[in-house]
Amino acid sequence: MTTASHPNDPLLTAETWIDESRAVAIATVIETWGSAPRPAGSHLVVDADGNFEGSVSGGCVEGAVVTAALDVIAGGTAQMLEFGVTDETAWRLGLSCGGRIRVYVERLD
């Protein structure tokens, strides 16, 4: 199968990448408090080369989640991440309106 991307469905992208024998991790927003850019259930999939599809937040939060996903791919141990900021630092850290999110990152085999 050739490399395919499903920008509207990161779960389909993950399935395609696994079919291509890529190592893949998935990050899932499991909880939000206050204002958050993406709702619970949002996904971001990452392969071992750092390619990614989907979104769990934006800004530097997204970069931190991609980095964690690469660690999970390499080590196999799932991670629970939590990001939270006050309104005055929200824009700088990528949470547009403050709030907090919890993201679970696991390897898909």
Side-chain angles (χ1 to χ4, degrees):
M1 178 181 281
T2 60
T3 300
S5 179
H6 305 277
N8 294 325
D9 192 340
L11 298 178
L12 290 176
T13 297
E15 184 177 26
T16 297
W17 289 353
I18 290 168
D19 288 346
E20 294 172 350
S21 298
R22 297 190 201 186
V24 177
I26 187 167
T28 305
V29 177
I30 60 166
E31 287 183 282
T32 64
W33 298 269
S35 187
R38 303 287 297 151
S42 297
H43 298 288
L44 174 74
V45 296
V46 181
D47 75 3
D49 293 327
N51 298 301
F52 59 92
E53 293 282 346
S55 178
V56 292
S57 180
C60 65
V61 168
E62 204 102 294
V65 172
V66 169
T67 298
L70 292 171
D71 290 343
V72 167
I73 289 169
T77 303
Q79 294 185 30
M80 182 70 68
L81 309 173
E82 188 169 326
F83 302 93
V85 295
T86 59
D87 287 337
E88 56 270 10
T89 59
W91 279 104
R92 184 172 53 85
L93 294 178
L95 292 172
S96 59
C97 299
R100 293 185 299 159
I101 62 170
R102 184 174 291 162
V103 179
Y104 185 68
V105 184
E106 62 187 317
R107 184 179 169 130
L108 296 177
D109 293 313

